[in-house]
């Protein structure tokens, strides 16, 4: 009568130990049973059984023994193993309003392929889904064909993470939002639409993923509390507080609609949007005579043009940069006052060109809040932040519960 629960407990313990051993060796080039014994305190027989299980599941490969490899001369040669980063793949997608970028990486995060597609801002939900699928299919197909950067075959797609400019709940759904149901248009049921692509599909807010990217590879490394502020068409913040990504029960943490109420800001419009609008207003008012911006078609003037002209000392462009800096400083003051962050990372495609704006905002910030004043820095990741964060999030999902995934390749390579 008692054999079933005992056997079940033994299987659970073996499963837990195997998963823990796998996480320990994930980033090692090679390892032996003795290495795992030293890290876990488990017996040799238990560790050898775990290594056999990991090999059978496809996560690790057994190599030539230490004597054959020239690393061991006396006694019984040690069995050597290596984690197989090509056992599976993960996909990270930046499904932005204007662009879609899909990156495919192996299980150590090495990028195997990438595909980018353009989108009209007013694209229909159906067009948006087709464009995202085209980017994913192109990247996944290239990464699995042996024609990628390493020329090797890759395993099945395990986890997919898609970043969208909208809050998302635990199931990956977004509320309708205002302004023409913007959030629903940005996330037209993507979790269901792409359920066939990988064994796990997650839809996440883009600013949250940008924060993950900064935390793991960018300006947030080593920071316990910081904000990543996407600053393009609209402001949105990803918040790492006390070492935890804040999401909220409906995924709304970091949404910046409160900026409608902030004096001197008045909306959640981002720096790229505001720079473009200020430049076009100046053109309409006839203020560009003699300005470097006057040589541009007012219909196509954008933030990059303004920042480039400001770098050259153009008076109109410098005035716009001053307005952008004040706007950024006020937004950072709101974030710092609410959350007591150590650093605010200004991200998005425009970030690499925002040095002067960030520097002026940092100078103004102390006049808007009491000390301590957080640092404001521009992200070095630029337009890559969201899809890099999506890949990192996908890897974390697989590493957290590796045995929820199957490594057996299907006929399609997925």
């Amino acid at each position: 009568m008692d054999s079933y629960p005992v056997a079940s407990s033994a299987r659970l313990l073996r499963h837990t130990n195997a998963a823990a051993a796998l996480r320990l060796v994930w980033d090692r080039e090679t390892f032996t049973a003795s290495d795992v014994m030293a890290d876990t305190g488990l017996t040799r027989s238990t560790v050898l059984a775990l290594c056999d299980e990991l090999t059978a599941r496809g996560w690790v490969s057994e190599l030539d023994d230490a004597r054959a490899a020239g690393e061991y001369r006396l006694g019984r040669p040690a069995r050597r193993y290596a984690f197989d980063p090509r056992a599976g793949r993960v996909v990270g997608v930046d499904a932005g309003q204007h662009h879609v970028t899909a990156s495919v990486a192996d299980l150590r995060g090495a990028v195997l392929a990438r595909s980018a597609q353009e989108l009209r801002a007013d694209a229909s939900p159906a067009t948006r889904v087709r464009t995202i699928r085209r980017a994913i299919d192109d990247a996944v197909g290239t990464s699995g064909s042996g024609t990628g950067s390493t020329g090797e075959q890759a395993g099945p797609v395990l986890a997919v993470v898609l970043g969208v400019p909208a809050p998302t709940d635990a199931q990956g759904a977004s509320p309708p939002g205002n302004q023409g149901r913007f959030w629903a248009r940005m996330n037209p049921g993507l979790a269901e639409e792409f359920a066939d692509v990988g064994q796990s599909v997650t839809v996440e807010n883009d600013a949250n993923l940008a924060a993950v990217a900064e935390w793991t590879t960018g300006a947030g490394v080593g920071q316990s509390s910081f904000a990543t502020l996407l600053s393009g068409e609209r402001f949105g913040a990803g918040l790492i507080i006390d070492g935890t990504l804040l999401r909220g029960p409906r995924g709304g943490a970091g949404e910046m609609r409160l900026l409608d109420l902030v004096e001197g800001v008045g909306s959640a419009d981002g720096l790229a949007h505001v720079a473009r609008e200020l430049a076009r207003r100046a053109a309409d008012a006839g203020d560009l005579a003699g300005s470097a911006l006057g040589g541009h078609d007012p219909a196509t003037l954008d933030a990059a043009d303004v920042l480039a002209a400001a770098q050259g000392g153009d008076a109109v462009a410098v005035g716009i940069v001053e307005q952008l800096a004040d706007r950024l400083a006020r937004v950072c003051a709101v974030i710092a006052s609410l959350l007591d962050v150590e650093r605010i990372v200004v991200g998005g495609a425009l970030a690499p060109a925002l040095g002067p704006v960030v520097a002026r905002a940092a100078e103004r910030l102390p006049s808007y809040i009491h000390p301590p004043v957080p640092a404001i820095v521009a992200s070095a990741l630029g337009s890559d932040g969201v899809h890099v964060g999506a890949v990192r999030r996908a890897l974390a999902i697989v590493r957290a519960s590796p045995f929820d995934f199957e490594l057996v390749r299907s006929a399609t390579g997925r």
Side-chain angles (χ1 to χ4, degrees):
M1 293 291 291
D2 295 331
S3 61
Y4 178 77
V6 171
S8 177
S9 297
R11 282 194 298 271
L12 177 60
L13 179 60
R14 186 170 64 250
H15 178 98
T16 302
N17 285 339
L22 178 58
R23 295 187 198 99
L24 284 171
V25 304
W26 199 293
D27 296 313
R28 295 183 182 178
E29 288 302 314
T30 64
F31 65 95
T32 66
S34 296
D35 295 328
V36 179
M37 289 168 58
D39 288 337
T40 64
L42 298 172
T43 66
R44 176 172 293 276
S45 61
T46 298
V47 168
L48 288 174
L50 295 179
C51 290
D52 288 342
E53 180 175 356
L54 294 176
T55 302
R57 288 177 177 265
W59 290 99
V60 304
S61 300
E62 186 167 2
L63 308 175
D64 292 335
D65 63 37
R67 180 175 294 160
E71 299 175 1
Y72 190 93
R73 299 187 181 280
L74 300 176
R76 184 174 62 184
R79 294 169 65 181
R80 297 169 61 248
Y81 305 88
F83 175 79
D84 183 4
R86 293 306 182 88
R89 290 170 285 174
V90 298
V91 179
V93 183
D94 177 2
Q97 183 178 1
H98 302 282
H99 312 278
V100 176
T101 303
S103 292
V104 180
D106 70 15
L107 295 179
R108 284 199 177 124
V111 175
L112 306 175
R114 183 169 292 162
S115 177
Q117 302 286 330
E118 298 299 313
L119 260 177
R120 288 175 56 95
D122 59 353
S124 69
T127 298
R128 184 171 175 77
V129 168
R130 285 195 299 270
T131 303
I132 296 170
R133 185 169 290 278
R134 189 160 57 246
I136 292 175
D137 285 349
D138 183 43
V140 169
T142 301
S143 72
S145 66
T147 60
S149 59
T150 62
E152 298 179 16
Q153 295 290 333
V157 173
L158 304 184
V160 179
V161 174
L162 300 103
V164 297
T168 61
D169 63 20
Q171 288 72 47
S174 298
N178 55 9
Q179 297 182 340
R181 295 172 58 87
F182 177 79
W183 291 338
R185 288 194 296 112
M186 293 298 100
N187 180 20
L190 297 184
E192 295 79 16
E193 291 285 353
F194 294 97
D196 62 307
V197 176
Q199 297 176 30
S200 166
V201 177
T202 301
V203 181
E204 179 61 274
N205 172 260
D206 56 358
N208 286 349
L209 295 177
V212 170
E214 298 295 344
W215 201 14
T216 54
T217 66
V221 172
Q223 301 290 315
S224 65
S225 295
F226 72 96
T228 298
L229 183 65
L230 292 185
S231 58
E233 291 303 306
R234 291 182 64 80
F235 283 120
L239 308 171
I240 306 291
I241 305 299
D242 295 332
T244 300
L245 175 66
L246 293 190
R247 299 189 76 261
R250 292 171 294 277
E255 287 298 319
M256 305 300 287
R257 288 170 290 174
L258 83 164
L259 295 179
D260 294 353
L261 308 176
V262 176
E263 182 180 353
V265 181
S267 74
D269 292 337
L271 300 181
H273 176 91
V274 172
R276 183 173 64 246
E277 291 303 307
L278 290 174
R280 292 178 185 176
R281 286 181 203 167
D284 292 342
D287 294 337
L288 298 187
S291 168
L293 298 177
H296 295 268
D297 179 356
T300 61
L301 262 176
D302 62 17
D305 298 324
V306 172
L307 294 171
Q311 286 284 77
D314 181 81
V316 174
V318 168
I320 293 175
V321 164
E322 287 294 319
Q323 294 179 71
L324 297 179
D326 186 70
R327 184 180 188 83
L328 178 59
R330 290 171 185 266
V331 173
C332 291
V334 171
I335 294 172
S337 297
L338 288 174
L339 298 168
D340 189 26
V341 294
E342 303 161 288
R343 176 173 292 186
I344 298 174
V345 183
V346 183
L350 198 61
L354 284 176
V357 177
V358 169
R360 292 291 292 123
E363 292 172 2
R364 289 174 180 249
L365 185 57
S367 66
Y368 290 136
I369 60 173
H370 296 295
V373 179
I376 310 175
V377 299
S379 170
L381 297 177
S383 60
D384 293 332
V386 176
H387 67 84
V388 168
V391 165
R392 292 291 169 179
R393 173 73 186 279
L395 287 170
I397 289 170
V398 176
R399 291 184 73 148
S401 301
F403 294 164
D404 289 349
F405 299 90
E406 295 292 335
L407 300 182
V408 177
R409 291 171 174 81
S410 69
T412 64
R414 289 181 177 172

